[in-house]
DNA sequence: TATTGTTATACTCTATAACTATA
DNA sequence: TATAGTTATAGAGTATAACAATA
């Protein structure tokens, strides 16, 4: 299992996965993918809030956001309640891109899990989520 | 589940995991870890064969191998059967480092899985392995 | 001519710090 | 003074090409 985690987090494996996922979507690659999908997940937000949500640095987030903006997938609008802030939001093209990416991921997972006994997929997903959380937030004590 | 995979492969998550794993072991970091553990897994081997085994480029493998050699964790010896080749092998310190890393990983996993129902861990590990394999080798048809 | 190991080069990603504008 | 956004700079990682030695 440690080997599986090692392989899963290996550069080549990740690169292969995200290259396949994003190959059909113009303007998105393995680096900008988290920004796009994160923005879809939490909705329109400032760069700082988005950066926190996806575990990325503010500076990296804003730079990749610029790339996505140049590709026409997200838009910047001034925040009405704070003149310092800028609200990031998906454009119509951006939402289409998110849908395409989600479809690609889900079709891959569905194909992979087709042979699993019913119910195991749900259990697996739950475990994977918890394990990932434990990895991402090691300090959070899990005494549930 | 897609979100969990996304989070798991996110840079920050990986970096956090490997930083914690390798923090107690001198000379190993997130980049040299695959080389060290791969060499332990397949045994003494040439750089080319090791590179194939861990899904890394030859040039990267040999450079990181040099780092590990400088740290005293692996050794280079001429291949008796081929004067072009160099055999990489763990030193005694290298084997100790591998053990320490494995202990760190297993203690983390054990802690995390302590609350899981018996048997689920094994099922989970099996699924994770298959999923990872599918990600790493997309062309291999899985008609088993 | 092909392969092994290695080094050199350029490119991308990441992190730190600095800058501007506003609170 | 602090915060949001952004840009600049430097460092680390990666990939491609090139090299010498041997098959």
């Amino acid at each position: 299992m440690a080997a599986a985690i090692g392989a899963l987090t290996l550069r080549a494996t990740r690169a292969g996965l995200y290259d396949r996922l994003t190959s059909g979507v113009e303007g998105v690659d393995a680096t900008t993918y988290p920004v796009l999908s994160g923005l879809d997940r939490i909705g329109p937000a400032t760069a700082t809030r988005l950066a926190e949500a996806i575990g990325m640095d503010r500076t990296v987030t804003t730079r990749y956001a610029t790339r996505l903006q140049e590709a026409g997938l997200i838009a910047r609008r001034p925040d009405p309640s704070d003149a310092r802030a800028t609200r990031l939001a998906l454009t119509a093209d951006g939402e289409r891109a998110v849908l395409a990416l989600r479809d690609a991921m889900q079709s891959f997972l569905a194909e992979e899990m087709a042979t699993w006994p019913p119910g195991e997929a749900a259990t697996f997903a739950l475990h994977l989520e918890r394990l990932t959380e434990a990895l991402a937030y090691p300090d959070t004590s899990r005494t549930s």
Side-chain angles (χ1 to χ4, degrees), chain A:
Chain A
M1 164 141 176
I5 289 184
L8 188 56
T9 55
L10 206 64
R11 161 151 214 94
T13 304
R14 278 177 298 121
L17 168 62
Y18 284 106
D19 281 355
R20 260 179 294 151
L21 280 185
T22 61
S23 65
V25 185
E26 192 69 22
V28 186
D29 60 19
T31 60
T32 53
Y33 175 85
V35 176
L36 190 74
S37 69
L39 194 56
D40 174 65
R41 185 154 44 86
I42 69 172
T46 65
T48 300
R49 211 162 72 76
L50 177 59
E52 285 168 6
I54 62 180
M56 256 191 184
D57 197 74
R58 282 200 316 276
T59 67
V60 181
T61 302
T62 190
R63 201 174 313 120
Y64 290 169
T66 301
R67 262 190 238 171
L68 290 169
Q69 185 181 13
E70 285 166 356
L73 301 180
I74 74 174
R76 281 185 163 92
R77 302 184 60 179
D79 188 325
S81 65
D82 187 338
R84 295 171 303 178
T86 302
R87 289 178 78 77
L88 302 171
L90 295 179
T91 62
D93 279 351
E95 294 190 10
R96 269 191 288 277
V98 168
L99 285 179
L101 291 167
R102 190 179 298 158
D103 281 355
M105 174 67 105
Q106 287 189 350
S107 72
F108 166 78
L109 289 177
E111 179 186 339
E112 196 48 37
M113 293 173 159
T115 62
W116 294 16
E120 279 195 12
T123 306
F124 179 82
L126 188 69
H127 285 338
L128 186 63
E129 269 177 35
R130 262 202 271 167
L131 200 60
T132 303
E133 243 175 73
L135 287 170
Y137 311 105
D139 295 336
T140 307
S141 133
R142 296 165 304 281
T143 52
S144 62

